[in-house]
Amino acid sequence: MTKTKWFCIAMLLTMVTTMTAQDKKLFTLEDLNYGGNNFYNLQPKNRYYAWWGDQLIRTDVEECYTVDKKTGKETLLFTLDQVNEWAKSNDEYRVRHLMNATFPYAGQSIVALGNRKSYILLDFKTHEIVWQDSLSGQDANDWTSASKACAYVKDWQLYVQDAEGKTYQLSTDGSREMVYGKSVHRDEFGIEKGTFWSPDGNSLAFYRMDQSMVADYPQVDVFNRMASYEPDKYPMTGEVSHKVTVGVFNVKTGKTVYLQTPKGGFTDKLPADGKMSEEACYFTNVAWSPDSKTIYLFELNRDQNDCRLVSYDAGTGMRLKELYREQHPKYVEPLHPIVFLPWDATKYIMQSQCDGYNHLYLCNAEDGSIVKQLTSGSWVVLDLLGFNEKAKSVIIASNEVNPIQRNTWAVDVKTGKRTLLDNGRGYHYAELSKTGQWLCDRYSEPDVPRVITVAPTHVANKSVNLLVAEDPWKDYQVPEYTSGSIKAADGVTDLYYRMVKPADFDSAKKYPTVIYVYGGPHAHNVDARWHYCSRSWETYMAQKGYIVFILDNRGSENRGREFEQATFRQLGQEETADQMQGVAFLKSLPYVDQERMGVHGWSFGGYMTITMMTHHPEVFKVGVAGGPVIDWKWYEVMYGERYMDTPQQNPEGYEKCSLLNQAKNLKGKLQIITGYNDATVVPQHCLAFIAKCIEEGTQPDFFVYPGEPHNMRGHQSVHLHERITQYFEDYLK
């Protein structure tokens, strides 16, 4: 064959390849954004499972199947039509799907089902309802399988209904000022709810929050004919906050006692020196003893630098003893309740960062003494998933393999030996069976959309695949996703980044580049998940010809105490220094256009966006800041004081970190966006910054979503991200 023919064939093959790439679809925000009309069609295929003892059940919209754990073979258990026939459901109370079906009793043919109107226990062998509860008008519903009793809030009052249907009203003074049975302390310290059933199901611990002394923030509903006043209770840093107590209701006696926790709460005003009373406490991580006689709390002073684990008599409310105390010059942050060993009620496991990383400690229940540290190392226990009672091991998730991974391990309680239970790659979420001898694991890797497996917890590498999802983006032009690390501003610490490049990336070209930033505590952006956990908006921007760069700076989560506390009393400072290390890295790349660099973030990321633009106006041409904190004196007590102390204690830090002082430095194009009814970062932040910019003669742009909270909901999120994108298209390209 002649050279000419070879050349023609090569050109033809090139044209076919190019045409194939060009024939692939382009994304829209309706495809990519979670509020978009086509969003769910472009998510990796998923399946839902529940444990019935050690039997795995696949729950689907219209069927439930038993799953053979050794082969993955499925057998039909029952259908949605059968359930509604057996339950004799009318249209109002009809079960709509089976995806949330649970099986609370191992060995009993009972399925728990519900909709917004009712909750039922149905025997799928006898075809009879064995228990039912109406959910009409209820809030914070909490049912216990131990006694079939249910706690709920209705019209601000807390109620308990026992298995026979007898109802007890636990409160009469419930209101927006006196809150019962709901999450307190603004969901800080790992608090997610306000009721806690004892193991025997006969006693209920619950929060009562008196916030009558807390100032109202004047939110307004603008959708009425005459705009109406709808205030939020919002305790700001350094101001008087709420008072919390813990009650205990006994179903058998019908009586309530309150734990004799330290008095004083948050009602005392700050003294001139800014120091808080020793009696002012946060109460968190409620736990019960296995015999349902003792309650355990972590009690934390308002300065959040002195934490104590204390036991109480559940019958009398009497304070029994202090079992553990942890102090730190910066802060201590209890996030996890103690968990008793299922085979030894004399010992429990406590999680703590006292050695610098979150690890497990085996403790004596009698006096709280530490028997031994179960895990150790320069890595973090991310979660305690449960126990394998037969093997006497505790099952955990950790990032021991890699800081951006999450893997599942079995830890032998006697020896401390750790056994990896997954493939050692990616990001894994495992759910244990009743005995802990099996786990259902769903995971992804940077190039693996989703896999679901079932595996034993006593033997490694014995998993059976239940689902291997195909790439839902295979027909689209997909950007290039990469990850790596650079050094922090301290020159020592590794920081992990994600970079997203256009599908047709050409290293000989120069691209406008946008840094997406969050940067704050209790969050991170870079994972070893599919596409390195890239946000859909990054894909959209890459498709429009941008490079997008994301860096997890010091102060973000899951890297240990020193990493997290580097920002103490000076939020935004070390974080910005680290982000500028990312900028230096970007500037070293020949394909990054240094004259066209932008930044975008939301919430803490909005604060970081404005911080970076005003501290380094020569670098950033365009920024979009969503829901930004402007001055920490307007943020809430628990979060703000943990990281900044009070304005009275740390006036220099508050002054240095305030963006009001930086309004004069704004040079580039900045758009600020907020939800008009944001109860997390209240609108006072944005409005005060706008007023300061007017005073200084600088020119930010401002956009508001009426009626929306801290994050835009539903399809409004599509509108939001189109607006963000268009701002960069108008001013950065």
Side-chain angles (χ1 to χ4, degrees), residues 73 93 102 254 346 367 369 414 488 502 510 553 581 606 710:
K73 181 181 178 181
Y93 289 93
T102 60
T346 69
D367 59 7
S369 60
K414 183 177 181 180
K510 286 190 177 292
N553 50 247
Q581 291 296 109
H710 190 50

Side-chain angles (χ1 to χ4, degrees), residues 43 52 57 95 104 114 116 159 255 274 286 321 340 360 384 398 433 498-499 513 536 563 603 649 655 662 679 693:
Q43 295 305 294
W52 175 21
I57 305 292
V95 177
R116 294 181 179 179
Y159 297 86
K255 294 182 179 180
V286 177
K321 63 180 66 173
F340 279 82
L360 305 185
L384 192 163
S398 81
S433 69
R498 172 176 70 246
M499 185 178 289
T513 300
S536 297
F563 187 95
S603 192
Q649 294 167 313
E655 183 73 11
Q662 305 301 322
C693 288

Side-chain angles (χ1 to χ4, degrees), residues 246-271:
V246 180
V248 185
F249 174 75
N250 187 289
V251 179
K252 291 187 176 296
T253 67
K255 294 182 179 180
T256 298
V257 300
Y258 280 86
L259 302 187
Q260 298 172 18
T261 51
K263 305 297 181 183
F266 297 96
T267 57
D268 296 333
K269 288 186 180 294
L270 281 168

Side-chain angles (χ1 to χ4, degrees), residues 421-434:
L421 298 179
D422 59 38
N423 63 8
R425 305 185 301 273
Y427 220 80
H428 294 250
Y429 287 96
E431 185 175 352
L432 295 181
S433 69
K434 179 71 173 178

